[in-house]
Structure formats: C-alpha cells, structure tokens
Amino acid sequence: MVSPPHYTVLQFFLSQLLLHFLTLSFAAKMTTAGKVIKCKAAVAWEPNKPLVIEEIEVAPPQANEIRIKIVATGVCHTDLYHLFEGMPKDGFPVVLGHEGAGIVESVGPGVTEFQPGDKVIPLVISQCQQCRFCKSPGTNQCEKGWAADRFDVMALADSRFTCKGKKVLQFIETSTFSEYTVINQMAVAKIDPTAPLDKVCLLACGVTTGYGAAVNTAKVKPDSTCAVFGLGAVGLAAVMGCKAAGAKRIIAVDINPEKFEKAKVFGATDFVNPKDHSKPISQVLSEMTDGGVDYSLECVGNVEVMRNALESCVKGWGVGVIVGATDLQDFSTRPNQFLAGRTLKGSLFGGFKSKDGVPLMVRAYLNKKVKLDEFITHNMTLDQVNDAMETMKHGKCIRTVLNVSPHKDHYVPFSDAKTFQSGKT
C-alpha cells in the first residue's frame, strides 16, 4: 500500500485536532447533566389508539444508567404488536420504540464504560457479562434483563419518564420514540464512532435478529437449501444470513409477491407464493427440494406458518427455526415430525450476545459485509410516527427510519482518530 503524502497526514492531524476541540466544546455544553430534560416523545396512552406527540420529562440517570439522545430509530413490528395485537391492559401509557441509535448525553454513578459523546445502540436483550447465562457460550439470554423471566411483559414500570404528572412506562428497556431515554448500561452497546446512526439503528433489532437466526441459531452450512417464511425486514435479513453462510438455494416464501424483487437483492434464488398453490406449502417445498429443505426460518410470528416451516424441513436432519414472536396462540405439530429426525429451535435476537454482537454487526456494515441501506424504504420524522406505523401495518414498507433528534452525524472522538484514519474497525 502506498503511503499518503505528508501534507495529507498533516491535514488529517489538523482536522483531528479541530475535532478534539469540538469534542471538548461538546462536553462543556453538556449543561443538562444531572437535570431533568423536557423533550418530545410519542406516547401510547392506550391500546389500539394513535400515538400522541407529547412533551415528557426524562429524569437524570441513576446508578449504572445512561441517558441517551436518540438520533434515529426504526419502526418494528413489535411496536405494532404491543399497540394493536397484544394490547396488555397494564402496558400503558408507554413510550414505544426499540430499534434506535444515539449519543450518550450523561452517565450515572458507577458507569465507566461510557462517556458523553459516545455513539451507542440501546439493546433489547441485556448482557450483564456476570450471570451464568452471559458466561455460557450456549445462550445470549441474561438473568438481569427485562426478558429474564417473562419477555412477553414488554412495558416496564421502572422508567425515568413522566408526562402530565403521570408515570410513563418504558418499552423493552429502551423506548426510542423519544428524544431522550435512560437505559441501564448492561443494555447499551458502544459502537464505531464513524457509523451513520440513521442506518445502524436497524441493528438494534430486526436485521440482527434475522441475520443471526441463520448464522448463529440454524447454523446454515455451505451448499445447503433454505426456506425463509415472511419477507419483512427480519425475513430479508435471514435471507442475507443464509447467503452469507454459503447456502446454494434460498427459497423466499411470502403471500405478497411484490417483495420477491427485494428478496433477490439479499440473495434469494427461488420464490413461492402460497396463494398460488392448492396444496400445503410444506408439500410444495418438499416437491421442489427432493424431500424438504435443510433449514427453514419462520419470520412471521404466526403459529400456522411455524408449523408449515417445520414440516417443510427434510426428515433426518432438517432444522426449523422460529424467529417471529407471538404470545397469542399455542403452537402445535405431530410428534412424528420430530421422531423423523427434524429439529425445532427458537431464536431470540438472532442468538447474538448483545453487547458483543451488535458492535461486530456495525463493523460488518462499515466493511460492506452486511447490507442496511437496502432495508430502508421510508424516512420520516418523529412527528410522522403514526404514518410510519400505518405504513408498516399495511405492508407498504420494509423499514421506516424516523429522524428523532437533529444531529450532525460526523462527530469522531479524538481518541479514535487512528481507527478513523486506517478505515479499519
């Protein structure tokens, strides 16, 4: 590699020196530290009703907590599920959103891993790094996070939000439909300072979940045949994961054929619309693949589709993975499906240990090994959150990214200048 001219190095050094002073200036302006912040948020006051843009109060972080300025957030189906499908009676009022990225505004006592100005991604699955689950290579779950006992309870009462004199719940430990949020440090990942927050926010949930379900949970092998049921963001990410793992044939299954062209971008080779067939989709896939696929991934959250996905697997070694979430119905199948040698697995957050895995996914995106831009079909503001929810409800988008807080997304800490110069992560 040819060394850069000396004037280029000098220019780079001077630019980093300027950034260093800007960083000091940024820190000096952090007059909000230790104070209640009033900001804008989308509040769900009750189920099955539009969100309301309100001024809320966000208290300072307590011990081991971080207050984050949310810059951008994706709108995920899990937000819709809580508001329009699950509708738990004790889950409101709440600030939804969980697919965000932002900047650390201040930290509470005991926080040493983060400092104001860090770029971070809030995590839907904690990683305390101390419990037996965190220490085990066999799982990505954590004993101390919100999902430790019942991850169907998505709205947490222990929040730092109030609005109009009322306590507002926190959603999945994150609540990114707010300009500011407060999160325990074990549910936050520090990421590469060069990462564009309006893109990598998608790694907080959907893309990481689908991609990891293929590479971590299913453990797709080279030259295998896969079927992915459902071509939303999670399903398309699963397609991308299957391709990255070396699958030679990836069958995309969806009742909306308009999604097939998008699936092709991520690596799908075959396309099946169940509505085009009078026989069960499992039989269709079995006939297409000489007995069934090696791996199937259900990315819908529908118990009927879960059964079809399992029964589409080849007997003897076929692996089915449930990725889509629902707590509204029971899943059932015949015992012979397992006696024949099939395996059924579940995948939570793609099997990634969150604090470790998300920064790696960010680096993979920066190194052009993972796609993100291709998932984004709409960009809106926080004020348009209800439009974004309706767009997703009617299947008219893959991912909508909301611009939550104005931010010049070019801030690079001086300490990271070497990383920035080399272009490596």
Side-chain angles (χ1 to χ4, degrees):
M1 178 174 153
V2 179
S3 298
H6 291 296
Y7 73 88
T8 303
V9 175
L10 179 61
Q11 285 179 330
F12 177 80
F13 175 78
L14 290 174
S15 68
Q16 292 306 309
L17 189 61
L18 175 61
L19 284 170
H20 178 49
F21 285 115
L22 289 174
T23 301
L24 294 176
S25 175
F26 178 85
K29 291 180 180 178
M30 280 298 176
T31 56
T32 53
K35 300 178 181 178
V36 172
I37 290 178
K38 291 185 177 181
C39 68
K40 188 165 62 175
V43 178
W45 288 105
E46 55 185 311
N48 206 26
K49 298 289 185 182
L51 306 182
V52 181
I53 302 298
E54 303 276 15
E55 181 181 77
I56 68 169
E57 296 82 35
V58 184
Q62 297 183 10
N64 301 313
E65 293 180 341
I66 303 167
R67 189 159 59 186
I68 300 168
K69 177 182 181 180
I70 298 296
V71 173
T73 183
V75 178
C76 176
H77 185 268
T78 305
D79 301 311
L80 273 71
Y81 176 85
H82 186 85
L83 186 61
F84 298 115
E85 298 171 30
M87 299 187 293
K89 62 180 181 179
D90 55 352
F92 299 87
V94 63
V95 174
L96 297 174
H98 62 284
E99 201 172 70
I103 306 288
V104 175
E105 175 268 339
S106 61
V107 302
V111 176
T112 57
E113 181 184 353
F114 303 92
Q115 60 185 6
D118 285 343
K119 281 189 177 181
V120 293
I121 290 180
L123 303 169
V124 296
I125 298 293
S126 298
Q127 187 184 351
C128 75
Q129 301 175 316
Q130 301 297 323
C131 73
R132 58 175 179 151
F133 288 97
C134 284
K135 291 180 178 179
S136 168
T139 182
N140 66 337
Q141 297 188 49
C142 173
E143 282 187 325
K144 298 182 181 179
W146 70 272
D149 298 314
R150 291 185 58 202
F151 55 82
D152 58 308
V153 180
M154 297 180 175
L156 308 182
D158 185 19
S159 81
R160 305 291 168 257
F161 301 139
T162 54
C163 183
K164 297 179 179 179
K166 296 181 179 179
K167 187 70 146 181
V168 178
L169 307 181
Q170 186 169 32
F171 187 64
I172 315 185
E173 213 166 34
T174 54
S175 288
T176 57
F177 290 175
S178 173
E179 291 179 326
Y180 287 87
T181 189
V182 178
I183 305 174
N184 192 291
Q185 63 177 338
M186 67 181 177
V188 181
K190 184 177 178 180
I191 62 171
D192 190 298
T194 66
L197 299 178
D198 60 341
K199 304 295 192 300
V200 299
C201 61
L202 301 186
L203 295 172
C205 185
V207 174
T208 302
T209 295
Y211 186 89
V215 300
N216 296 330
T217 308
K219 300 186 186 302
V220 171
K221 294 180 180 178
D223 298 322
S224 59
T225 297
C226 304
V228 176
F229 291 74
L231 300 177
V234 175
L236 292 173
V239 169
M240 180 169 63
C242 291
K243 182 180 181 182
K248 67 178 179 182
R249 193 175 183 190
I250 304 169
I251 305 170
V253 183
D254 201 289
I255 59 174
N256 182 357
E258 293 180 4
K259 294 183 177 181
F260 292 159
E261 281 302 312
K262 179 67 77 170
K264 190 182 296 184
V265 171
F266 292 97
T269 59
D270 300 76
F271 310 92
V272 177
N273 181 352
K275 291 184 175 181
D276 292 340
H277 302 273
S278 57
K279 60 183 71 172
I281 189 63
S282 57
Q283 187 177 336
V284 173
L285 294 181
S286 180
E287 293 171 359
M288 288 176 62
T289 56
D290 189 26
V293 299
D294 300 305
Y295 305 93
S296 70
L297 297 103
E298 188 279 341
C299 303
V300 181
N302 180 295
V303 295
E304 248 183 78
V305 180
M306 292 173 189
R307 179 170 185 167
N308 286 329
L310 173 67
E311 295 178 0
S312 298
C313 292
V314 66
K315 65 181 181 181
W317 63 82
V319 175
V321 180
I322 294 176
V323 189
T326 183
D327 194 49
L328 302 179
Q329 295 171 295
D330 292 336
F331 165 79
S332 65
T333 189
R334 297 292 178 87
N336 282 346
Q337 295 295 326
F338 301 109
L339 294 175
R342 298 177 182 86
T343 300
L344 181 65
K345 295 182 174 182
S347 185
L348 187 63
F349 197 55
F352 281 103
K353 286 185 181 291
S354 57
K355 289 175 77 75
D356 298 335
V358 167
L360 293 177
M361 288 290 285
V362 170
R363 292 177 187 176
Y365 167 69
L366 294 175
N367 291 329
K368 301 187 185 304
K369 294 180 180 179
V370 167
K371 299 179 187 293
L372 287 181
D373 303 55
E374 292 81 356
F375 287 92
I376 302 171
T377 54
H378 297 72
N379 287 278
M380 300 184 186
T381 65
L382 181 62
D383 292 333
Q384 297 171 294
V385 63
N386 287 310
D387 295 333
M389 299 281 268
E390 286 298 310
T391 300
M392 171 161 276
K393 186 192 293 187
H394 297 291
K396 295 180 179 179
C397 70
I398 300 301
R399 265 298 186 268
T400 297
V401 172
L402 301 178
N403 176 17
V404 180
S405 299
H407 176 68
K408 291 183 179 179
D409 200 14
H410 305 292
Y411 160 71
V412 181
F414 186 70
S415 60
D416 291 306
K418 187 175 181 181
T419 298
F420 181 78
Q421 180 183 23
S422 68
K424 296 177 182 179
T425 53

